[in-house]
Amino acid sequence: ETFENFVRETWIPLCVRDGSHRPSTVEMYTHILNIIVPYFGKIALEDVNGIFIAKYLSWLRNEYRTANGRQLADKTIKHHYNILRMVFNYAEKQDLIIKNPIRKVDPPRVVKKKVDALSADEARIFFEAIRDLPIDFRTIMMVLITTGLRRGECIGLEWKDVDFDNGTITVNRAVTYTKECGIRVDEPKTTTSLRTIPAMPATLSMLKELKFLRRCQYRNVNLENAFVFCKEGEPFSPRD
C-alpha cells in the first residue's frame, strides 16, 4: 500500500475525520497533509525509512516556502513531524509495517522566541491610531492589547462575561472559522483557557460605551447572552 493511499483512504477517515477533533484541528491536519503527501508520493508505506523522513524535514526547513514566500517556523515543522509520527504509529499498530521509521528520526528542535511586546512608545502610538476607529472595532483592539485574549476568545465574549462591578472579564468560549464548517462557537481549546482576568479601567469604560450603543440599537433585547462583538444586526451571532 502506498503512503498516499494509506493516509487518504485509511488514516484520515479513521483518525482525523472520526468526529473527535475540532474543525480547526481537522483543517490544520488537512493543510499539512497537502504538503506531506505530494512529497512522499507513491512510495510504498513499508519503504519509507528514517533517512527519507529526515530529508523531508530538512527540505521543509531549507527549501520549502509558503505562498507568500516565507520559511516555516520551527513549531510548524514540529507539527509536520508529529503528524508523520501519528501516521506511522497507527500503521505499526495495524501491523501494516514491520519497522516504524519515525523512531529513527529525532523530533525537530523548537527554539523559544522572546515575547515581542510593545514598548511604551509603541503602545502610545497604537492607542492614538485606534482613537478614530468605529467604537466596536476600537473596543476589540483595546480588549486584545490590554488583556492578552486570543482573537477567538475576544470575539466569543458575551456581555454576561464582563463584570463591570468587579472589573473582570471571564473567558468561557471561543469563536473559530474554517472554510468547511464556517463560524463555530465552542469552549476554548484547553481547560486552562477558561479563566477570569482583570480589565483595565480604560477598557471597561470603552466596553460600557459600546454596551450603551448596543442598548440603543436593540431596545427590546436582553443583552446578557448577546455577543459583545456581534454580527451587524444580529446580537446573538458573533462577528466573523
Side-chain angles (χ1 to χ4, degrees):
E1 185 169 29
T2 65
F3 178 90
E4 178 178 10
N5 186 65
F6 172 71
V7 168
R8 296 200 187 282
E9 302 299 325
T10 302
W11 191 73
I12 291 178
L14 297 180
C15 300
V16 178
R17 295 186 178 275
D18 59 347
S20 66
H21 298 288
R22 291 169 176 264
S24 56
T25 302
V26 173
E27 186 176 64
M28 187 265 285
Y29 281 11
T30 302
H31 172 73
I32 290 178
L33 286 167
N34 284 339
I35 302 171
I36 291 175
V37 170
Y39 186 96
F40 282 71
K42 303 296 183 180
I43 188 171
L45 190 65
E46 61 186 9
D47 289 341
V48 179
N49 56 35
I51 292 175
F52 192 87
I53 295 172
K55 285 182 176 180
Y56 171 72
L57 297 173
S58 177
W59 173 75
L60 283 180
R61 182 174 293 105
N62 299 308
E63 299 175 44
Y64 179 80
R65 296 293 182 272
T66 63
N68 55 14
R70 294 181 179 177
Q71 285 184 294
L72 293 183
D74 290 346
K75 189 175 180 181
T76 303
I77 295 174
K78 182 73 175 293
H79 285 322
H80 283 248
Y81 172 87
N82 288 338
I83 287 178
L84 285 168
R85 177 175 53 79
M86 288 186 283
V87 167
F88 285 108
N89 283 351
Y90 186 73
E92 181 184 38
K93 181 179 179 181
Q94 300 302 323
D95 298 322
L96 296 176
I97 55 176
I98 298 173
K99 293 183 179 180
N100 189 335
I102 204 73
R103 294 204 180 98
K104 301 290 185 179
V105 185
D106 293 329
R109 196 162 58 93
V110 178
V111 179
K112 288 189 177 181
K113 297 181 179 179
K114 284 184 63 178
V115 176
D116 186 18
L118 297 182
S119 67
D121 287 338
E122 288 170 335
R124 193 176 300 110
I125 292 170
F126 181 89
F127 287 123
E128 289 175 359
I130 68 173
R131 187 176 297 162
D132 297 325
L133 292 176
I135 178 62
D136 59 340
F137 195 71
R138 178 159 37 108
T139 307
I140 289 176
M141 295 295 102
M142 192 72 171
V143 170
L144 288 173
I145 199 170
T146 60
T147 64
L149 262 64
R150 300 176 178 88
R151 287 178 301 171
E153 294 171 343
C154 179
I155 299 300
L157 290 176
E158 296 179 0
W159 284 112
K160 64 186 177 188
D161 302 323
V162 182
D163 187 337
F164 290 105
D165 294 331
N166 294 308
T168 61
I169 293 175
T170 299
V171 177
N172 287 311
R173 69 198 67 76
V175 174
T176 58
Y177 171 83
T178 62
K179 290 181 180 179
E180 188 173 317
C181 298
I183 297 173
R184 285 174 56 97
V185 182
D186 292 301
E187 288 187 354
K189 192 170 183 179
T190 63
T191 54
T192 55
S193 296
L194 297 166
R195 62 199 188 280
T196 298
I197 54 178
M200 290 177 59
T203 303
L204 291 168
S205 177
M206 201 172 289
L207 284 164
K208 283 182 180 179
E209 184 181 349
L210 179 61
K211 191 171 187 179
F212 176 78
L213 177 65
R214 294 285 185 251
R215 281 175 174 156
C216 295
Q217 287 178 302
Y218 310 110
R219 294 183 181 277
N220 299 318
V221 174
N222 182 350
L223 291 177
E224 289 309 293
N225 293 317
F227 285 95
V228 175
F229 306 112
C230 61
K231 190 175 182 180
E232 186 65 33
E234 300 180 28
F236 298 103
S237 298
R239 65 184 290 156
D240 189 337

